[in-house]
Amino acid sequence: MTSKEEQADGLGDCRFLYDDCEGFESNESDFIEYGDSVQLWIAPKEGKAATLLADQLFSPALLLAEAIERGIVSVAGKTIVELGAGTALPSLLAATGKGDGPPMLVTITDYPDPLLMENLTRNVKGNQSKFVEGCRVECIGYEWGKDVTHLRLGFGYTTSRQLLPPSDQSGYDILVLSDLLYFASSHDDLIASTMNLLKAGSDSRVYLAAGKYTSEQVMRLSE
């Protein structure tokens, strides 16, 4: 089996999680606590945060976080990248070691807008004390469809160290995609980024969660 065939097999076996819940609005202070595990700040409702719907915490992020916490999504020892992370709840929860154990690396990304990245960095730094030792957590700006070299070989938003280890730069074990199907015009770019970031191999996984406000046509295509 070629590397491309292995990668396609990994995508075909992706875990698709469809959430029936409505969107979860942030509270008035734009601060949310997920149990005693993670503290989250929500980006202000302005600029790109508003147009990209990154100014709320939607239920698919809660679903993925719970799946990680319960060990349904296995992350122990893996390398993870989350696209369009928003608050980055699933990634941050994974870094605390809940579930089957901590991943080796968590790279959290969102659109490279200063306000979005400022809030994302705040969430990472605000939860650092809860991360399990040995689990690296980085955040970096990334626009879907663009070159992914800096996500594989480059440097994080919060560090000058390389992201993926030199011995394993072919891609990530796990991609987390939380509620990213709403804008149909971005699907091709999202697919391209997924293919370029996912490690070729039958053990690679894409965990995708969407709310019921996503169109039925898109849901069928994603299965």
Side-chain angles (χ1 to χ4, degrees), residues 44-120:
K45 298 179 182 296
E46 58 185 72
K48 282 293 185 181
T51 58
L52 297 178
L53 304 180
D55 56 351
Q56 300 178 50
L57 176 63
F58 286 97
S59 52
L62 300 171
L63 178 70
L64 286 169
E66 182 179 357
I68 292 170
E69 190 170 23
R70 294 172 60 190
I72 298 171
V73 170
S74 177
V75 299
K78 305 293 187 179
T79 56
I80 300 173
V81 60
E82 181 172 2
L83 300 181
T87 63
L89 173 58
S91 291
L92 296 173
L93 193 282
T96 66
K98 301 292 185 180
D100 68 341
M104 178 174 65
L105 168 68
V106 179
T107 301
I108 304 170
T109 77
D110 210 333
Y111 187 85
D113 171 76
L115 193 61
L116 285 178
M117 294 311 302
E118 178 183 356
N119 190 73
L120 193 55

Side-chain angles (χ1 to χ4, degrees), residues 117-172:
M117 294 311 302
E118 178 183 356
N119 190 73
L120 193 55
T121 303
R122 182 183 186 186
N123 280 342
V124 170
K125 292 185 176 181
N127 289 283
Q128 254 176 348
S129 63
K130 300 178 181 179
F131 299 157
V132 174
E133 185 177 358
C135 175
R136 285 182 56 200
V137 181
E138 312 289 356
C139 59
I140 187 168
Y142 176 67
E143 182 179 354
W144 305 345
K146 302 298 184 182
D147 182 64
V148 300
T149 301
H150 69 301
L151 294 181
R152 292 166 57 173
L153 311 179
F155 300 91
Y157 203 83
T158 53
T159 185
S160 59
R161 295 181 297 169
Q162 283 190 326
L163 297 176
L164 288 171
S167 60
D168 188 14
Q169 296 181 336
S170 61
Y172 288 82

Side-chain angles (χ1 to χ4, degrees), residues 172-194:
Y172 288 82
D173 298 312
I174 294 174
L175 265 69
V176 174
L177 310 178
S178 177
D179 208 26
L180 305 185
L181 301 180
Y182 189 77
F183 297 107
S185 60
S186 299
H187 289 176
D188 288 345
D189 288 338
L190 180 59
I191 291 171
S193 294
T194 299

